[in-house]
Amino acid sequence: MPAKMIWFAGQKPDPAALTQLGAASMPGHIGIEFTEAGDDWLAARMPVDARTHQPFGRLHGGASVALAETVASVGATMTLDPATSVAVGMEINANHIRPVMAGYVTAVATAESIGRTTQVWTIRITDDAGKLVCLSRITLAVIARG
């Protein structure tokens, strides 16, 4: 069964515009770049380099969580009327599966539940070989923009 289109006004988000949206804030500083949008998912990638390493040369778990929260919260916000609402993180968890030393990691956030006041998204982060690096789930609050 095909996925139902979840985006506000039936318009898939523009990855380049989403990348630009975060260019001057944390996503831009750590190199997050949105790459694709499907009917009910959003993808972004992040470099594994000095900006995102922990002191021992591996991808920092906090960087994975920042990527997961960024792609899911932006995705959730894109399901809402931009004149009135935004989605913000309430709770996030992450299971770090395997280390990554270099290259890119790609996060695909998929909507699990889109409610009036909360949303739940699952985020799968993989390495350049497509191997699972981190599995995360986030609950987001839908709040008034302002």
Side-chain angles (χ1 to χ4, degrees):
M1 176 154 91
K4 179 182 172 201
M5 177 76 77
I6 62 172
W7 310 117
F8 181 73
Q11 297 286 344
K12 279 188 187 177
D14 173 17
L18 297 179
T19 299
Q20 187 58 40
L21 180 69
S25 58
M26 185 172 172
H29 295 304
I30 60 175
I32 293 174
E33 170 186 17
F34 287 87
T35 57
E36 291 182 81
D39 287 345
D40 67 344
W41 57 270
L42 186 61
R45 72 182 193 155
M46 179 179 70
V48 180
D49 61 19
R51 295 172 290 176
T52 57
H53 279 163
Q54 38 91 308
F56 307 107
R58 291 170 165 76
L59 176 63
H60 193 293
S64 293
V65 173
L67 173 60
E69 183 157 350
T70 297
V71 71
S73 64
V74 169
T77 296
M78 294 298 103
T79 70
L80 304 169
D81 180 345
T84 62
S85 303
V86 65
V88 296
M90 289 175 54
E91 187 276 335
I92 190 167
N93 68 48
N95 293 290
H96 304 290
I97 310 298
R98 73 174 22 88
V100 181
M101 277 47 141
Y104 283 86
V105 288
T106 298
V108 177
T110 305
E112 302 291 347
S113 175
I114 298 178
R116 187 177 50 80
T117 59
T118 60
Q119 295 190 22
V120 177
W121 289 64
T122 299
I123 308 97
R124 294 180 60 87
I125 300 175
T126 56
D127 64 14
D128 287 331
K131 293 182 179 179
L132 185 64
V133 171
C134 179
L135 183 61
S136 183
R137 182 170 301 219
I138 188 169
T139 303
L140 300 134
V142 176
I143 62 171
R145 181 169 231 122

